[in-house]
Amino acid sequence: MAHGGTTWCADSFAARLGRLIEQLRERRGPLSYRRIAQDISALGGPTISAAYLQQLVTGKRGDPKISYVQAFARYFDVPVTYFFDEQTSAQADSPGRIIALRAESLSTEGRRQIMGLLDYVWRAERGRRH
């Protein structure tokens, strides 16, 4: 099925949604589909059942309403095109973005240590190029 000229592929949507949920679980710990659905609703998104969310992630259901896709994009802080465009998806799943998202959940001291390590590696790699 096509949306706005974009070919819709339920499997790629499922994989992309699943990656976003996994990344969120890595940062926040155990997180149920029910909790995610409640959070989306609390942010003003549409009502989504936990069962429907699970079916989307597993690929048993496809072609969600655009309002759901928009709500997922807002909740996971990715552009709507993340779910349709390979390049946008790759950028959102980039190691740099994942590092930044994980760093958000660290203490101030933890972030300071990570920045020190990043600065050290950056200087070392920069030195190798010159």
Side-chain angles (χ1 to χ4, degrees):
M1 179 173 256
H3 288 274
T6 303
T7 303
W8 183 263
C9 177
D11 290 336
S12 67
F13 179 86
R16 291 171 183 178
L17 182 59
R19 279 194 306 273
L20 291 173
I21 291 172
E22 242 350 272
Q23 290 171 5
L24 187 61
R25 286 177 175 157
E26 287 174 6
R27 291 192 326 267
R28 291 178 50 186
L31 193 63
S32 68
Y33 292 124
R34 175 171 281 125
R35 178 79 247 171
I36 294 168
Q38 290 170 344
D39 289 348
I40 288 171
S41 181
L43 292 172
T47 301
I48 301 170
S49 74
Y52 181 65
L53 181 55
Q54 181 179 21
Q55 290 171 347
L56 288 173
V57 171
T58 60
K60 292 180 181 166
R61 295 284 301 265
D63 201 19
K65 293 180 183 178
I66 193 65
S67 61
Y68 291 172
V69 176
Q70 291 168 331
F72 294 141
R74 275 191 308 274
Y75 181 70
F76 292 107
D77 194 28
V78 295
V80 170
T81 54
Y82 171 87
F83 297 102
F84 306 102
D85 180 65
E86 183 86 21
Q87 185 175 4
T88 303
S89 177
Q91 289 171 346
D93 292 335
S94 73
R97 181 175 188 276
I98 292 169
I99 289 168
L101 289 171
R102 287 184 182 167
E104 285 179 6
S105 65
L106 297 175
S107 66
T108 302
E109 177 61 19
R111 284 192 301 273
R112 187 187 65 71
Q113 290 176 1
I114 293 297
M115 284 304 299
L117 180 60
L118 285 172
D119 285 343
Y120 173 80
V121 172
W122 179 78
R123 283 191 305 274
E125 288 191 357
R126 195 171 136 205
R128 277 189 240 142
R129 285 181 268 193
H130 295 295

